[in-house]
Amino acid sequence: MTAYTAQAESPFNPATDRIGRVLCFAAHPDDIDFGAAGTIAAWTAAGVQVSYCIMTDGDAGGFDPAHRADIIAMRDAEQRRAAELVGVTDIHYLHQRDGYLEPSHEVMRGVVKLIREIRPEVVLAMHPERNWRRIQKSHPDHLAVGEAVTRAVYPALENPFAYPELAEAGLEAYKLPWLWLYAGPDERENHFVDVTAHVGAKLEAIHVHVSQHPDVEAMESAVRQGMHANAARAGLPAGHSAEAFHVVAVNGPGTIAGF
């Protein structure tokens, strides 16, 4: 794919590291669209199979009291429509309570189960570290997603004796190649994706989440500014847009089991 540009310290090389399947984890409907919809649109356009797992139902979201009774169904419909706009139709939920998400063994087992089922080359998840420069990126549920997924990826995912009932059901241990984290501290980000060609799809997907945007103009302006800033950090030409990630090589040619 030509959509990628990376800093020198990124372990991921788009010229040689191939991706066929990606599994994305988020806390709430709309998190993925803000954090990675441009990259996801680039992936699906290149034939990559992308799946979503939303850990909560987003039941504490929204601003209109009139929506309370229908907010779960409303946010699910929004997420499914937004996903379709960037080429994704496979969506899973863990049905945790919005605002109460914890990196529990219940959640970690669900993560391990889904990764073993899909067996992706890349797991994309929210970052487990707080961003002190913009604390709104670090909702406690976001941090819980990052912690649960990171704990699940190693060692439980690749340990056949962790959650043994999964292996007994035919879901064999799996060594994940790559973990990509989004919505984390700027100083952790080591990989940038040029999403200039997919800005329209990203913004269209975000706009679908109408229940979450009390000020649409301010939201879109902030998203555009953030993507332009990422592009500048990546050394891309003026006018380009980028999304930023902290890429971690989990299992590669030099990985030693158990270390």
Side-chain angles (χ1 to χ4, degrees), residues 70-86:
D70 302 314
I71 193 64
I72 292 176
M74 180 181 298
R75 298 202 70 184
D76 175 53
E78 290 173 348
Q79 182 61 91
R80 291 184 185 279
R81 175 58 183 150
E84 289 176 357
L85 290 170
V86 294

Side-chain angles (χ1 to χ4, degrees), residues 13-254:
N13 183 349
T16 57
D17 296 313
R18 300 304 179 187
I19 300 174
R21 290 183 300 276
V22 176
L23 174 56
C24 308
F25 288 93
H28 316 102
D30 82 1
D31 289 338
I32 291 174
D33 299 297
F34 278 101
T39 299
I40 290 164
W43 273 330
T44 59
V48 177
Q49 298 176 12
V50 179
S51 301
Y52 289 177
C53 179
I54 315 299
M55 290 196 179
T56 80
D57 293 319
D59 45 285
F63 297 91
D64 189 341
H67 292 162
R68 299 327 306 162
D70 302 314
I71 193 64
I72 292 176
M74 180 181 298
R75 298 202 70 184
D76 175 53
E78 290 173 348
Q79 182 61 91
R80 291 184 185 279
R81 175 58 183 150
E84 289 176 357
L85 290 170
V86 294
V88 178
T89 57
D90 187 35
I91 301 178
H92 306 260
Y93 284 91
L94 294 188
H95 300 298
Q96 297 293 306
R97 186 179 175 188
D98 189 349
Y100 290 77
L101 186 64
E102 297 288 348
S104 65
H105 279 286
E106 176 190 1
V107 172
M108 289 166 57
R109 181 188 179 280
V111 171
V112 170
K113 179 177 183 291
L114 192 55
I115 298 175
R116 288 187 184 180
E117 288 174 346
I118 294 176
R119 305 180 89 79
E121 286 79 30
V122 171
V123 161
L124 182 74
M126 311 195 83
H127 207 288
E129 296 182 41
R130 184 168 274 108
N131 186 325
W132 292 108
R133 294 177 184 169
R134 186 171 182 271
I135 200 167
Q136 288 81 2
K137 292 177 70 174
S138 304
H139 186 296
D141 285 354
H142 296 182
L143 303 180
V145 168
E147 187 63 29
V149 172
T150 302
R151 290 188 195 183
V153 161
Y154 183 81
L157 178 64
E158 58 188 65
N159 182 354
F161 308 113
Y163 310 120
E165 67 276 12
L166 297 180
E168 291 168 4
L171 295 176
E172 298 180 357
Y174 174 64
K175 290 190 174 184
L176 177 73
W178 298 101
L179 176 63
W180 288 35
L181 300 166
Y182 65 100
D186 293 355
E187 58 270 22
R188 291 291 190 196
E189 292 167 343
N190 61 359
H191 190 85
F192 296 87
V193 178
D194 184 344
V195 298
T196 306
H198 302 282
V199 169
K202 176 184 176 77
L203 290 173
E204 191 175 358
I206 292 173
H207 275 288
V208 169
H209 299 279
V210 293
S211 67
Q212 307 305 301
H213 302 318
D215 190 337
V216 174
E217 289 186 5
M219 174 276 295
E220 180 167 326
S221 175
V223 171
R224 287 184 181 276
Q225 289 176 19
M227 289 191 290
H228 288 156
N230 288 336
R233 290 165 58 205
L236 290 167
H240 280 240
S241 296
E243 291 175 338
F245 303 91
H246 177 192
V247 171
V248 179
V250 182
N251 283 287

